[in-house]
Amino acid sequence: MQELESFESGELKPLLEALLLVSDDSVPATELARATGAAPGEVSQALAELAAEYESANRGFQLREVAGGWRLYTHPAYHDQVGDYVLSWDARKLSQAALETLAVIAYHQPVTREGVRAIRGVNSDGVIASLREKGLVREAGHEADRGQAVLFGTTRLFLEHFGLKSLRELPPLEDFAPDEESKRFIRERLSGRQIGSTLEEAADDLEDERDLLDNDLEAASGLPDDGEALGDE
């Protein structure tokens, strides 16, 4: 077996910086170890030291461990200025509808299109398709019942964009509720109890609309309720 090369800390860190600068996604320490030939433990230690050095020096960028890997980010204190500087920033911003849909999927995944609609109250098919194109949402299987409806969940890119190591780092949604009633409503929504009842109510409403339509058609045709033709005795 080929022996792993031992680096001086002063040699390994600049190499890691160079690799991270050309990486579009977060890179696991094991992958960086393969690229440098250093031991994984040595790489992990060097990355942690770099992150601490950047924070201590108050640099304009940070090194964070997100989505199972490491990635360089601009310092949050300068996000507004960086946003104004990058010309394509506006094109990459998510709309309010996209943010709402993404939040529903993130906190209630895996969830169907009908589940998203039940929570938001509007059809979200177009928004979900857009989020999939952006790589923030993916298909996560099919529901066992209700016609094998497609289930949706978030992606690794979602974790990277929002600086999360895992979904467990999502802030409790109840923290954003203004009062206890709102917190209770959120708990019910996230538990799934209200989604089922909302879908059942929607089905009942549709059945009522069909009955009304049938009655209107019967009235328009001039037929009595028993279905006999006019003039029959």
Side-chain angles (χ1 to χ4, degrees):
M1 180 182 297
Q2 184 181 0
E3 292 186 1
L4 294 174
E5 183 177 354
S6 178
F7 283 83
E8 296 292 338
S9 61
E11 297 175 352
L12 180 57
K13 290 179 182 178
L15 176 55
L16 291 173
E17 289 176 326
L19 293 173
L20 290 168
L21 280 172
V22 297
S23 300
D24 294 330
D25 302 318
S26 63
V27 188
T30 52
E31 185 175 333
L32 291 169
R34 286 193 296 269
T36 60
E42 195 173 0
V43 170
S44 295
Q45 181 179 348
L47 290 168
E49 290 176 358
L50 280 173
E53 290 172 8
Y54 297 155
E55 182 177 2
S56 176
N58 198 28
R59 303 294 296 270
F61 54 90
Q62 296 179 333
L63 179 58
R64 302 183 202 162
E65 186 179 8
V66 296
W70 293 81
R71 187 176 182 182
L72 291 170
Y73 288 86
T74 57
H75 197 292
Y78 308 115
H79 279 181
D80 290 341
Q81 293 87 338
V82 173
D84 292 338
Y85 179 73
V86 180
L87 296 179
S88 59
W89 188 265
D90 289 339
R92 295 201 302 270
K93 287 181 65 176
L94 295 175
S95 66
Q96 183 65 31
L99 286 172
E100 290 177 1
T101 303
L102 187 58
V104 171
I105 294 174
Y107 281 93
H108 207 284
Q109 59 186 304
V111 62
T112 63
R113 288 185 177 90
E114 290 76 13
V116 175
R117 182 192 63 77
I119 294 176
R120 293 194 63 226
V122 295
N123 187 300
S124 304
D125 290 359
V127 182
I128 293 175
S130 176
L131 291 172
R132 289 186 63 191
E133 290 178 0
K134 290 179 172 63
L136 298 174
V137 166
R138 62 180 175 85
E139 289 190 8
H142 293 80
E143 201 171 36
D145 53 5
R146 291 183 185 151
Q148 293 290 307
V150 176
L151 294 166
F152 294 96
T154 53
T155 64
R156 175 176 172 175
L157 184 61
F158 164 82
L159 295 177
E160 293 181 2
H161 278 350
F162 288 89
L164 303 173
K165 291 182 180 180
S166 70
L167 293 174
R168 287 189 292 271
E169 290 193 348
L170 283 170
L173 198 56
E174 296 178 23
D175 291 351
F176 301 98
D179 51 44
E180 287 301 321
E181 183 178 354
S182 298
K183 289 183 179 181
R184 184 169 58 254
F185 175 80
I186 290 172
R187 283 195 294 268
E188 290 176 349
R189 287 292 190 178
L190 293 182
S191 69
R193 292 194 296 271
Q194 290 297 318
I195 290 181
S197 62
T198 303
L199 292 175
E200 291 172 1
E201 291 170 2
D204 292 340
D205 291 342
L206 181 60
E207 188 64 29
D208 291 341
E209 291 178 4
R210 286 174 178 169
D211 292 341
L212 290 173
L213 181 59
D214 290 341
N215 293 337
D216 291 342
L217 289 175
E218 288 178 357
S221 65
L223 293 175
D225 291 341
D226 61 5
E228 296 179 354
L230 290 175
D232 290 345
E233 296 182 356

